[in-house]
Every structure is written in C-alpha cells, then in structure tokens.
Amino acid sequence: HPAAHGRLRARERLAGWLNVAGPLLALLGIYLIFALIGPDSFRSAGNLETIFRQTAIVGAAALGMTVIMIAGGIDLSVGSVVALVTVVIAWLLQYAGLPDGWAALAGIGAGALCGLLTGVLITRLRVVPFIVTLGMMLMVRGLAKALAHSQKIDAPVGWLQQLVASLPPDRRMQLLPVGVWLVIGLGVLLAVALRTMRYGRHVFAIGSNELTARLCGVAVERTKLITYALGGAFFGLAGLMLFSRLTVGDPTAAQGLELDVIAAVVIGGGSLAGG
C-alpha cells in the first residue's frame, strides 16, 4: 500500500537520522543535566572553553583512531606515541634550536613514522593489530624515556604553547583557541574525505570484509599502510596539543590515553568490528 510504504520509509529515515545524531543529542542532554544541577560556573563561557581545550587532545587522537578502526584495526600505542611527540618537540626546541613550526612538523612526522612502522609490521608479518600495537606501546614509551633520560624536557616559550591556552580578553571574539579550531577543521575534512574519496571507500570496504575488498581489486596492504601512517600523524597532532598544554616534553604523559581515545570513537558511532 503506498501510504504504508511511505510511513515505513519515513521511519527508516528517522532511524537513520537518530543513528547519526544520537551521540550528539546524548552529549547535549548530559550537558543540560549538569547545567541544571551544577553550579553557575559550569554554564559559563569560560568553562565551555575549558571543556573544548581539554577535549582537543583526545579529539585529535580520536580522528586517527577512527580511520584505523573503520579499517578493522586498533592501535594501543596512541598514548606512548603522544608522549614521544611531546619529547621530540621539546628536545628539538631546547637542544636543536629549531623554530616552533619546524619542531611541530617534526613531532607530527615522528607520530606518522610510528604509525607507518606499525602498518609495516601488521601487513608484512601478518600479525593481528592488537599484538603489534601492544608491543609498539611498550617500545615507543621506552624510546620516549630514553630520549628524555626519564626526565621532563623544558622548552623555550613560543607560540606553540598558545595553541590550546586560554584566550586573553583581547581575543575573546575568536571563541576558541587555534588548536581547537584546527582539530574541528581536520575533523570536517576527514569526514568529507572518507565519504567522497576513493581512499575512504576502500577503508570502509576493508573494515567491512577484507577478503571481499581484496577480490574487488582494493590494494589492502597499501591502504592499511596509509591508514596507520595517517592515524600516527593524528596521534602526533594530539602530542602537539598535549605539549602546548604541558609546555614540556614528558615521557610519562598520556598513560591510559588509548582507553579514552577508543571510547571516544565508539561513543561517536565507530564500530570495534570495523566498517
């Protein structure tokens, strides 16, 4: 019957919309609950800014973890990579005298290199990602401690420390620090890339059914290498945000961050099963 068919289509569209917007609506609901029962300071613009600033680190890493999990993988080394990146940036600023911009790029590059190594081990040795990234978590953390001699590395003050710092009164019109806007912008670009680019379709195909994707001509190993390197670059960006917040390189930082990042992806709609 046309009327019944129309109602069914309407329910399907509503269910699809709720599936996409559900996590955001739940987040807004939780905020409203605490806004009602919490102190007045919770509803202040300054507290909202603080929430965004603190979320930027997990958010940046979650972008990389999202792509990896869509491809059916996992990366438990994210906390260790973030710590290594803070150490690399601080070391380059303090001892190599690099400008802030080059140090930041080198830190993100170090994260991408860690991700690329993880991808090589997974694709060449054909070991499951859980085991490989568990080993990488220990190895990268040890590398960070060796580079920093198990101590924090102080860095000269520059503009990197302002990426997620609280905005001064004369910059309130900016609403949020540059680092937060950078994470939001990259999130939008990543969403567009996954939906419109061939690479994005290949990532979804591999995570949904790797064997079928291979039979359809998808370059599975190459796509996985790109995915883990891209994820590592986003982990590097998270390390840059953490360095901005701490203003030092700390080899013991971000312990347990992998749980927060994976939880953020799942709460945001990602699937642990991939696809």
Side-chain angles (χ1 to χ4, degrees):
H1 193 275
H5 181 70
R7 288 193 295 269
L8 178 61
R9 292 292 300 273
R11 285 197 295 269
E12 289 177 348
R13 285 196 298 268
L14 178 61
W17 184 84
L18 289 176
N19 185 51
V20 173
L24 179 60
L25 294 175
L27 177 62
L28 293 175
I30 292 172
Y31 174 79
L32 290 175
I33 290 174
F34 282 98
L36 291 173
I37 67 176
D40 293 340
S41 59
F42 185 83
R43 299 186 293 272
S44 67
N47 188 56
L48 280 173
E49 180 195 343
T50 300
I51 292 174
F52 275 100
R53 288 169 48 223
Q54 293 177 344
T55 308
I57 299 167
V58 173
L63 293 177
M65 189 68 77
T66 296
V67 186
I68 292 172
M69 288 175 61
I70 288 174
I74 197 77
D75 196 333
L76 302 179
S77 67
V78 51
S80 298
V81 173
V82 167
L84 174 65
V85 170
T86 67
V87 170
V88 168
I89 293 174
W91 191 92
L92 291 175
L93 291 173
Q94 179 69 18
Y95 300 115
L98 282 185
D100 286 24
W102 287 109
L105 290 176
I108 295 174
L113 187 61
C114 290
L116 181 62
L117 177 58
T118 298
V120 169
L121 293 175
I122 290 172
T123 57
R124 301 307 179 198
L125 300 183
R126 301 193 181 280
V127 182
V128 294
F130 184 91
I131 299 300
V132 172
T133 58
L134 185 64
M136 284 292 292
M137 177 178 67
L138 302 176
M139 186 179 75
V140 173
R141 180 72 67 175
L143 178 61
K145 291 182 178 180
L147 184 61
H149 301 290
S150 297
Q151 296 179 346
K152 295 179 181 179
I153 300 179
D154 294 319
V157 177
W159 59 265
L160 289 183
Q161 284 86 342
Q162 304 300 317
L163 284 177
V164 292
S166 181
L167 293 173
D170 60 334
R171 291 171 55 197
R172 288 296 177 185
M173 293 297 293
Q174 186 178 317
L175 298 180
L176 297 170
V178 173
V180 178
W181 285 119
L182 178 61
V183 173
I184 293 173
L186 288 174
V188 173
L189 289 176
L190 182 63
V192 172
L194 288 174
R195 287 179 176 272
T196 62
M197 292 180 62
R198 182 174 62 178
Y199 165 75
R201 293 194 292 271
H202 287 181
V203 170
F204 275 103
I206 292 171
S208 298
N209 192 314
E210 182 175 326
L211 178 59
T212 301
R214 194 183 300 275
L215 292 175
C216 290
V218 175
V220 173
E221 281 74 19
R222 184 179 65 188
T223 303
K224 283 187 176 181
L225 283 175
I226 295 173
T227 298
Y228 277 95
L230 180 63
F234 277 111
F235 300 162
L237 177 64
L240 174 61
M241 299 300 169
L242 183 60
F243 169 79
S244 177
R245 182 178 174 185
L246 299 177
T247 69
V248 297
D250 187 356
T252 64
Q255 296 196 33
L257 181 67
E258 54 276 354
L259 299 179
D260 293 337
V261 172
I262 293 171
V265 176
V266 174
I267 292 171
S271 172
L272 287 170

